Amino acid sequence: MIQERSQYKETWNNLAANMDEAKLYVAGHTDEAELDRTGLNTVNRIENFVGIQPEDICLEIGCGVGRVGKFLSPQCQKWIGTDISANMLQYAAQRLKGLENIELIELSGVGLQEIADNSIDLVYCTVVFMHLYEWDRYQYLKEAFRVLKSGGRCFFDNVDLTSSHGWDVFMAGYSYPIDQRPAYLSMCSTGEELETYARQSGFSEIKIHRWGDARVGVTGIKP
């Protein structure tokens, strides 16, 4: 039901009942080495697409167990991990223990109400949009624009519907009877969809990126 899928906080607190389940639903596996490998790959991708500067204040939307923050935080002045699930943040705190330039913030709802205007240099969101309705994806881009400083950069990604992997994901969802689709069921995007959200949010220098015949991302700059 549409109401159930919209209950993100309840859904993801329930899915993150323990550390292994949190890892599983965030990344599809529980292996720490694989979490590290994919987290580092994502940081390298963000660096290639929009850059990470030592003076940056960086914010991740939907940080989960800190898979990406573990490797991005040493490259910036401050890393802020936000998530709608308090349970996810509890596990992130355990995994990121010892890192002194991080802050974890629980979001009250869809958006970044807890973050001040014009306070962030880089906002990114990875492996999250698949679990959100389109309207909520757009809301996060609008909020990213609000919290970014002038010249700030954004990066958002999702499973690419036009890719081979994306079509497999789409058909896996299609196979569920309509009344049995789980609230966390993955839903894909197109590059044009993400580009539209970025443009309507006010971003400039918008670019669509595709990789691995699986994923699509959009980057932009706040004028």
Side-chain angles (χ1 to χ4, degrees):
M1 294 177 61
I2 192 168
Q3 294 90 342
E4 292 175 351
R5 188 174 177 91
S6 297
Q7 294 170 354
Y8 301 119
K9 187 178 289 289
E10 179 180 352
T11 294
W12 288 95
N13 276 330
N14 289 338
L15 292 175
N18 56 59
M19 176 73 88
D20 276 350
E21 288 189 7
K23 292 179 185 177
L24 182 65
Y25 284 107
V26 161
H29 51 78
T30 61
D31 182 67
E32 276 289 331
E34 183 65 9
L35 281 175
D36 285 352
R37 185 188 70 81
T38 60
L40 184 57
N41 282 347
T42 299
V43 171
N44 290 337
R45 189 170 297 115
I46 294 170
E47 168 66 31
N48 289 335
F49 289 165
V50 293
I52 304 169
Q53 305 301 324
E55 66 273 15
D56 280 345
I57 298 174
C58 300
L59 184 145
E60 179 173 353
I61 298 170
C63 70
V65 298
R67 179 180 64 93
V68 179
K70 178 178 179 180
F71 297 98
L72 196 146
S73 57
Q75 298 188 33
C76 64
Q77 179 186 157
K78 182 177 183 180
W79 177 82
I80 302 170
T82 68
D83 205 286
I84 206 163
S85 166
N87 287 355
M88 286 288 185
L89 293 174
Q90 172 187 339
Y91 305 132
Q94 294 176 26
R95 294 187 70 254
L96 303 178
K97 187 176 181 180
L99 296 173
E100 298 182 353
N101 67 328
I102 71 168
E103 181 180 3
L104 298 171
I105 297 176
E106 180 183 352
L107 301 175
S108 58
V110 175
L112 300 171
Q113 297 91 332
E114 294 76 10
I115 309 300
D117 296 359
N118 308 306
S119 61
I120 305 295
D121 298 292
L122 169 62
V123 174
Y124 68 94
C125 180
T126 182
V127 200
V128 172
F129 272 19
M130 64 181 67
H131 304 300
L132 304 182
Y133 278 121
E134 292 88 340
W135 310 288
D136 302 324
R137 298 171 186 172
Y138 174 50
Q139 176 67 9
Y140 276 119
L141 266 95
K142 284 182 61 181
E143 282 287 88
F145 188 87
R146 176 184 64 80
V147 304
L148 281 170
K149 303 172 185 176
S150 178
R153 298 97 68 207
C154 75
F155 167 76
F156 291 83
D157 72 15
N158 198 4
V159 177
D160 183 3
L161 178 63
T162 67
S163 69
S164 298
H165 173 68
W167 191 249
D168 289 342
V169 170
F170 177 84
M171 291 305 295
Y174 177 77
S175 69
Y176 279 90
I178 193 169
D179 59 346
Q180 295 179 26
R181 295 171 184 159
Y184 57 86
L185 188 65
S186 294
M187 299 197 304
C188 306
S189 288
T190 65
E192 290 73 18
E193 175 200 349
L194 301 181
E195 179 187 38
T196 299
Y197 300 153
R199 184 177 68 252
Q200 294 291 346
S201 298
F203 286 99
S204 63
E205 300 183 42
I206 300 165
K207 296 179 181 177
I208 297 173
H209 309 266
R210 291 183 172 88
W211 60 96
D213 195 26
R215 305 197 65 82
V216 61
V218 67
T219 55
I221 296 176
K222 181 175 179 177

